[in-house]
Amino acid sequence: MMWLIGAVVVVSLVGGVAAALVGRGLVDPGSGAGGLFGMPSTLLTLIALVLGVPAAVMVARAVRPGDGWVGAAVIVGAGAWIVAIGYFVVAHAVDPCLNGWWDGRSRIGSQPLCERFGPELNWHTRFHLLAHAAPAAGLFAIYFWAVRRSLSGRRGAARDVLLT
């Protein structure tokens, strides 16, 4: 499960950086729910939904009661959801165009930073995927660290499946 979430985040991050730097033909992948035609957001949600709870149950069963099994199970299950939801929410919570920190005239060289979508001013499509992927990468790093820390020193199927 961890490597699936990590792979989606890495692909989103690489695609976001490429679209932000190159633009032109790569601008379209910045479109969709969260960018890259909405595929990363859909995949992260499905991974969290389909694998998050079973992974938490597997950890709870593999780690003996009294050994912090509840905390480890919560970290595994809830952490996957935090990364998936954070992919959607964080980028728009800190969107400088939506928050009024930037306006329609904000630019890097000749490239506009904001774009109007209906009544709202949001990240330009060129930067949309990067805006979602960067916070998701940070959340994934914290999630990975927390899972490794909660399962450190433990051997068994749960640790092997989650961390390999």
Side-chain angles (χ1 to χ4, degrees), residues 16-90:
V17 168
L21 291 176
V22 176
R24 294 183 213 98
L26 288 176
V27 171
D28 286 342
S31 63
L36 207 60
F37 307 111
M39 291 170 41
S41 56
T42 302
L43 286 173
L44 283 173
T45 303
L46 287 174
I47 291 168
L49 177 66
V50 174
L51 299 178
V53 172
V57 170
M58 183 176 63
V59 166
R61 292 182 70 190
V63 178
R64 288 187 299 270
D67 281 343
W69 67 277
V70 173
V74 167
I75 288 170
V76 168
W81 276 103
I82 289 169
V83 173
I85 292 169
Y87 184 87
F88 285 111
V89 175
V90 175

Side-chain angles (χ1 to χ4, degrees), residues 58-136:
M58 183 176 63
V59 166
R61 292 182 70 190
V63 178
R64 288 187 299 270
D67 281 343
W69 67 277
V70 173
V74 167
I75 288 170
V76 168
W81 276 103
I82 289 169
V83 173
I85 292 169
Y87 184 87
F88 285 111
V89 175
V90 175
H92 292 285
V94 299
D95 184 337
C97 304
L98 187 63
N99 288 316
W101 305 328
W102 295 346
D103 60 21
R105 298 174 307 215
S106 300
R107 300 183 178 287
I108 294 178
S110 63
Q111 175 63 49
L113 296 173
C114 300
E115 186 173 19
R116 189 157 299 279
F117 292 97
E120 294 180 338
L121 197 62
N122 289 305
W123 296 98
H124 189 278
T125 304
R126 182 174 184 165
F127 306 106
H128 191 198
L129 179 55
L130 182 59
H132 282 275

